[in-house]
Amino acid sequence: MTLDLKKKLIEAGRVLAHEGQGDYVAGHVTARLPDGSGHFLMKPAGIGLEEMNEDNVISCDASGARIGGSMPRHNEVFIHSEVLRARPDVNAVVHTHPSHVVAFSSLGKPFLPVVSDATIFDELPIFDETTDLIVNAERGAAVARKLGTNNALILRNHGIVTCGETIEEAVYYALKLDKACKVQLYAEWAGGPKLVGDASDSKIKGQRNRRQDLYQNVFNYVCRCWSRAAGERVAPVCETVVEKK
Ligand SMILES: [Zn+2]
Protein backbone atom coordinates (compact mmCIF):
# COMPACT_ATOMS: atom_id res chain seq x y z
CA MET A 1 0.00 0.00 0.00
CA THR A 2 2.75 2.44 0.98
CA LEU A 3 4.76 1.51 -2.11
CA ASP A 4 1.73 2.13 -4.35
CA LEU A 5 1.20 5.49 -2.71
CA LYS A 6 4.88 6.33 -3.11
CA LYS A 7 4.73 5.44 -6.81
CA LYS A 8 1.68 7.66 -7.24
CA LEU A 9 3.47 10.51 -5.47
CA ILE A 10 6.46 10.08 -7.79
CA GLU A 11 4.13 10.26 -10.79
CA ALA A 12 2.46 13.36 -9.36
CA GLY A 13 5.83 15.09 -9.39
CA ARG A 14 6.31 14.16 -13.03
CA VAL A 15 2.82 15.35 -13.96
CA LEU A 16 3.30 18.69 -12.23
CA ALA A 17 6.73 19.21 -13.78
CA HIS A 18 5.52 18.21 -17.25
CA GLU A 19 2.75 20.79 -16.97
CA GLY A 20 5.16 23.61 -16.12
CA GLN A 21 4.73 23.76 -12.36
CA GLY A 22 8.36 23.04 -11.55
CA ASP A 23 10.42 25.84 -10.04
CA TYR A 24 13.92 24.33 -10.05
CA VAL A 25 13.94 22.48 -6.70
CA ALA A 26 10.97 24.31 -5.15
CA GLY A 27 7.44 22.96 -4.91
CA HIS A 28 6.25 19.85 -3.13
CA VAL A 29 3.50 17.30 -2.93
CA THR A 30 2.43 15.07 -0.06
CA ALA A 31 0.18 12.06 0.49
CA ARG A 32 -1.31 10.93 3.79
CA LEU A 33 -0.51 7.35 4.77
CA PRO A 34 -3.72 5.35 5.08
CA ASP A 35 -2.82 3.79 8.45
CA GLY A 36 -4.47 6.35 10.71
CA SER A 37 -1.11 7.56 12.07
CA GLY A 38 -1.40 11.04 10.60
CA HIS A 39 1.97 10.50 8.92
CA PHE A 40 2.52 11.47 5.29
CA LEU A 41 4.91 10.93 2.38
CA MET A 42 6.61 14.00 0.95
CA LYS A 43 8.88 15.06 -1.87
CA PRO A 44 12.29 15.87 -0.37
CA ALA A 45 14.05 19.23 -0.67
CA GLY A 46 17.01 19.70 -2.99
CA ILE A 47 15.62 18.00 -6.11
CA GLY A 48 13.08 18.82 -8.80
CA LEU A 49 9.48 17.63 -8.71
CA GLU A 50 10.19 15.06 -11.42
CA GLU A 51 13.24 13.66 -9.66
CA MET A 52 11.49 11.76 -6.90
CA ASN A 53 12.11 8.02 -6.76
CA GLU A 54 11.36 5.17 -4.39
CA ASP A 55 14.57 5.79 -2.46
CA ASN A 56 14.43 9.52 -1.91
CA VAL A 57 10.80 10.16 -0.89
CA ILE A 58 10.71 11.09 2.81
CA SER A 59 8.01 10.62 5.44
CA CYS A 60 6.90 13.05 8.14
CA ASP A 61 4.78 12.85 11.27
CA ALA A 62 1.68 14.94 11.89
CA SER A 63 3.78 17.82 13.26
CA GLY A 64 5.89 17.95 10.09
CA ALA A 65 9.00 16.35 11.58
CA ARG A 66 10.87 14.02 9.24
CA ILE A 67 10.63 10.44 10.45
CA GLY A 68 11.74 8.52 7.36
CA GLY A 69 14.24 8.95 4.55
CA SER A 70 17.60 10.69 4.52
CA MET A 71 17.09 13.66 2.23
CA PRO A 72 16.28 17.10 3.64
CA ARG A 73 12.72 18.20 4.28
CA HIS A 74 11.20 21.32 2.72
CA ASN A 75 10.88 24.15 5.22
CA GLU A 76 7.33 24.75 3.98
CA VAL A 77 6.22 21.32 5.26
CA PHE A 78 3.77 23.13 7.54
CA ILE A 79 1.46 23.90 4.62
CA HIS A 80 0.96 20.16 4.32
CA SER A 81 0.94 19.14 7.98
CA GLU A 82 -1.60 21.81 8.90
CA VAL A 83 -3.92 21.29 5.93
CA LEU A 84 -3.88 17.53 6.57
CA ARG A 85 -4.57 18.17 10.27
CA ALA A 86 -7.48 20.53 9.54
CA ARG A 87 -9.03 18.47 6.75
CA PRO A 88 -9.68 14.78 7.49
CA ASP A 89 -11.34 14.54 4.06
CA VAL A 90 -8.03 15.45 2.37
CA ASN A 91 -5.32 12.87 1.64
CA ALA A 92 -3.02 14.83 -0.68
CA VAL A 93 -1.68 18.39 -0.82
CA VAL A 94 0.23 20.22 -3.57
CA HIS A 95 2.23 23.42 -3.17
CA THR A 96 3.86 24.91 -6.28
CA HIS A 97 4.79 28.33 -7.69
CA PRO A 98 3.05 28.38 -11.11
CA SER A 99 4.01 31.57 -12.94
CA HIS A 100 0.56 32.41 -14.31
CA VAL A 101 -1.07 32.21 -10.89
CA VAL A 102 1.65 34.27 -9.24
CA ALA A 103 1.39 36.92 -11.98
CA PHE A 104 -2.41 36.94 -11.76
CA SER A 105 -2.28 37.26 -7.96
CA SER A 106 -0.30 40.49 -8.30
CA LEU A 107 -3.10 42.20 -10.24
CA GLY A 108 -5.54 42.36 -7.33
CA LYS A 109 -8.34 41.56 -9.76
CA PRO A 110 -11.25 39.17 -9.19
CA PHE A 111 -10.85 35.64 -10.54
CA LEU A 112 -13.41 35.25 -13.34
CA PRO A 113 -14.86 32.27 -15.26
CA VAL A 114 -13.16 33.35 -18.50
CA VAL A 115 -12.57 29.67 -19.31
CA SER A 116 -14.33 26.47 -18.22
CA ASP A 117 -11.34 25.43 -16.09
CA ALA A 118 -12.11 28.33 -13.75
CA THR A 119 -15.59 27.04 -12.95
CA ILE A 120 -14.39 24.20 -10.71
CA PHE A 121 -13.44 26.79 -8.09
CA ASP A 122 -16.62 27.82 -6.27
CA GLU A 123 -14.46 29.98 -4.07
CA LEU A 124 -10.79 30.78 -4.49
CA PRO A 125 -9.39 32.21 -1.25
CA ILE A 126 -6.30 34.39 -1.47
CA PHE A 127 -3.88 34.23 1.45
CA ASP A 128 -2.25 37.62 1.87
CA GLU A 129 -1.07 37.69 5.50
CA THR A 130 2.42 37.40 4.07
CA THR A 131 4.11 36.84 0.73
CA ASP A 132 6.95 35.07 2.56
CA LEU A 133 7.36 31.29 2.74
CA ILE A 134 5.17 29.32 5.16
CA VAL A 135 7.87 28.05 7.50
CA ASN A 136 6.16 27.45 10.83
CA ALA A 137 3.08 25.67 12.13
CA GLU A 138 1.26 28.91 13.00
CA ARG A 139 1.48 30.18 9.43
CA GLY A 140 0.57 26.73 8.13
CA ALA A 141 -2.53 26.73 10.34
CA ALA A 142 -3.44 30.21 9.05
CA VAL A 143 -3.21 28.93 5.48
CA ALA A 144 -5.39 25.94 6.37
CA ARG A 145 -7.99 28.25 7.96
CA LYS A 146 -8.05 30.43 4.85
CA LEU A 147 -8.39 27.37 2.63
CA GLY A 148 -11.46 26.31 4.64
CA THR A 149 -13.39 23.59 2.85
CA ASN A 150 -12.06 24.53 -0.60
CA ASN A 151 -9.72 22.55 -2.83
CA ALA A 152 -7.47 25.44 -3.78
CA LEU A 153 -6.00 28.67 -2.48
CA ILE A 154 -3.64 31.31 -3.88
CA LEU A 155 -0.69 32.47 -1.79
CA ARG A 156 -0.40 36.02 -3.14
CA ASN A 157 2.91 36.73 -4.93
CA HIS A 158 4.06 33.22 -4.00
CA GLY A 159 2.11 30.23 -5.33
CA ILE A 160 -0.75 27.86 -4.76
CA VAL A 161 -2.03 25.24 -2.33
CA THR A 162 -4.36 22.59 -3.68
CA CYS A 163 -5.70 19.46 -2.02
CA GLY A 164 -7.96 16.51 -2.61
CA GLU A 165 -9.23 13.21 -1.42
CA THR A 166 -6.76 11.66 -3.86
CA ILE A 167 -3.38 12.67 -5.29
CA GLU A 168 -5.03 12.91 -8.70
CA GLU A 169 -7.60 15.39 -7.42
CA ALA A 170 -5.01 17.64 -5.74
CA VAL A 171 -2.91 17.64 -8.93
CA TYR A 172 -5.97 18.31 -11.13
CA TYR A 173 -6.80 21.45 -9.14
CA ALA A 174 -3.21 22.64 -9.44
CA LEU A 175 -3.21 22.19 -13.24
CA LYS A 176 -6.63 23.78 -13.70
CA LEU A 177 -5.79 26.77 -11.52
CA ASP A 178 -2.69 27.56 -13.55
CA LYS A 179 -4.60 27.25 -16.83
CA ALA A 180 -7.52 29.37 -15.60
CA CYS A 181 -5.13 32.14 -14.51
CA LYS A 182 -3.21 31.88 -17.79
CA VAL A 183 -6.35 32.36 -19.88
CA GLN A 184 -7.55 35.24 -17.73
CA LEU A 185 -4.12 36.86 -18.09
CA TYR A 186 -4.45 36.56 -21.89
CA ALA A 187 -7.81 38.32 -21.65
CA GLU A 188 -6.38 41.00 -19.36
CA TRP A 189 -3.51 41.62 -21.78
CA ALA A 190 -6.01 41.99 -24.65
CA GLY A 191 -7.89 44.76 -22.88
CA GLY A 192 -9.75 42.87 -20.15
CA PRO A 193 -12.48 40.24 -20.32
CA LYS A 194 -15.82 41.67 -21.42
CA LEU A 195 -17.83 38.46 -21.66
CA VAL A 196 -17.63 35.69 -19.09
CA GLY A 197 -19.81 32.70 -18.33
CA ASP A 198 -22.91 33.53 -16.32
CA ALA A 199 -23.33 32.10 -12.84
CA SER A 200 -25.76 29.32 -13.75
CA ASP A 201 -23.61 28.11 -16.66
CA SER A 202 -20.53 28.22 -14.48
CA LYS A 203 -22.22 26.17 -11.76
CA ILE A 204 -23.21 23.46 -14.21
CA LYS A 205 -19.79 23.40 -15.83
CA GLY A 206 -18.12 23.27 -12.44
CA GLN A 207 -20.15 20.23 -11.43
CA ARG A 208 -19.41 18.57 -14.76
CA ASN A 209 -15.69 19.03 -14.28
CA ARG A 210 -15.39 17.84 -10.67
CA ARG A 211 -15.28 14.04 -10.87
CA GLN A 212 -12.80 11.47 -9.57
CA ASP A 213 -12.80 9.63 -12.93
CA LEU A 214 -11.82 12.88 -14.69
CA TYR A 215 -9.09 13.58 -12.13
CA GLN A 216 -7.65 10.11 -12.72
CA ASN A 217 -7.86 10.26 -16.50
CA VAL A 218 -6.18 13.66 -16.70
CA PHE A 219 -3.45 12.44 -14.34
CA ASN A 220 -2.91 9.25 -16.33
CA TYR A 221 -2.88 11.14 -19.63
CA VAL A 222 -0.13 13.47 -18.45
CA CYS A 223 1.77 10.44 -17.07
CA ARG A 224 1.68 8.97 -20.58
CA CYS A 225 2.81 12.30 -22.07
CA TRP A 226 5.68 12.43 -19.60
CA SER A 227 6.68 8.85 -20.42
CA ARG A 228 6.63 9.55 -24.16
CA ALA A 229 8.64 12.75 -23.68
CA ALA A 230 11.13 10.84 -21.53
CA GLY A 231 11.37 8.10 -24.14
CA GLU A 232 10.19 5.52 -21.68
CA ARG A 233 8.29 2.49 -22.80
CA VAL A 234 6.48 2.12 -19.52
CA ALA A 235 2.80 1.86 -18.90
CA PRO A 236 1.21 4.37 -16.54
CA VAL A 237 0.73 3.08 -13.01
CA CYS A 238 -3.03 3.37 -13.10
CA GLU A 239 -5.50 2.26 -15.67
CA THR A 240 -7.75 4.58 -17.60
CA VAL A 241 -11.12 5.03 -15.95
CA VAL A 242 -14.27 5.02 -18.04
CA GLU A 243 -15.89 8.43 -17.77
CA LYS A 244 -19.34 8.63 -16.30
CA LYS A 245 -21.99 10.43 -18.30
ZN1 LIG B 1 6.55 28.12 -1.71
Side-chain angles (χ1 to χ4, degrees), residues 107-129:
L107 300 180
K109 293 198 168 185
F111 179 74
L112 298 172
V114 176
V115 64
S116 295
D117 306 84
T119 63
I120 63 170
F121 305 94
D122 282 339
E123 278 184 59
L124 184 59
I126 297 181
F127 182 81
D128 57 6
E129 281 183 30

Side-chain angles (χ1 to χ4, degrees), residues 25-218:
V25 296
H28 16 97
V29 53
T30 51
R32 190 199 300 271
L33 287 166
D35 59 4
S37 64
H39 300 172
F40 54 91
L41 300 176
M42 183 174 197
K43 169 199 169 288
I47 60 171
L49 282 164
E50 76 280 24
E51 294 182 313
M52 279 187 283
N53 61 44
E54 289 174 23
D55 297 323
N56 63 25
V57 169
I58 63 170
S59 56
C60 299
D61 68 15
S63 74
R66 189 187 68 187
I67 54 169
S70 58
M71 288 199 67
R73 188 210 67 188
H74 281 280
N75 58 4
E76 289 194 294
V77 67
F78 304 104
I79 293 173
H80 303 264
S81 57
E82 296 305 317
V83 169
L84 291 170
R85 187 197 305 279
R87 292 281 298 274
D89 59 311
V90 159
N91 294 311
V93 180
V94 169
H95 168 58
T96 56
H97 304 156
S99 300
H100 302 102
V101 184
V102 175
F104 173 76
S105 79
S106 75
L107 300 180
K109 293 198 168 185
F111 179 74
L112 298 172
V114 176
V115 64
S116 295
D117 306 84
T119 63
I120 63 170
F121 305 94
D122 282 339
E123 278 184 59
L124 184 59
I126 297 181
F127 182 81
D128 57 6
E129 281 183 30
T130 181
T131 59
D132 193 8
L133 304 188
I134 309 300
V135 293
N136 58 53
E138 291 71 29
R139 274 270 155 76
V143 169
R145 279 196 300 277
K146 190 74 179 177
L147 178 68
T149 59
N150 298 290
N151 285 82
L153 165 146
I154 292 177
L155 299 166
R156 187 166 67 76
N157 302 95
H158 175 178
I160 64 170
V161 178
T162 63
C163 62
E165 183 183 342
T166 61
I167 290 176
E168 291 92 330
E169 183 176 3
V171 168
Y172 180 86
Y173 274 88
L175 304 188
K176 293 291 182 176
L177 183 51
D178 190 43
K179 188 181 167 201
C181 287
K182 179 167 71 175
V183 175
Q184 185 167 346
L185 280 177
Y186 288 160
E188 300 287 353
W189 291 334
K194 301 288 187 298
L195 304 171
V196 295
D198 67 36
S200 58
D201 273 357
S202 292
K203 191 160 190 261
I204 292 167
K205 285 197 286 186
Q207 287 166 347
R208 230 186 269 293
N209 287 301
R210 285 191 297 251
R211 305 194 318 266
Q212 287 293 340
D213 61 303
L214 191 54
Y215 309 150
Q216 287 184 34
N217 284 338
V218 167

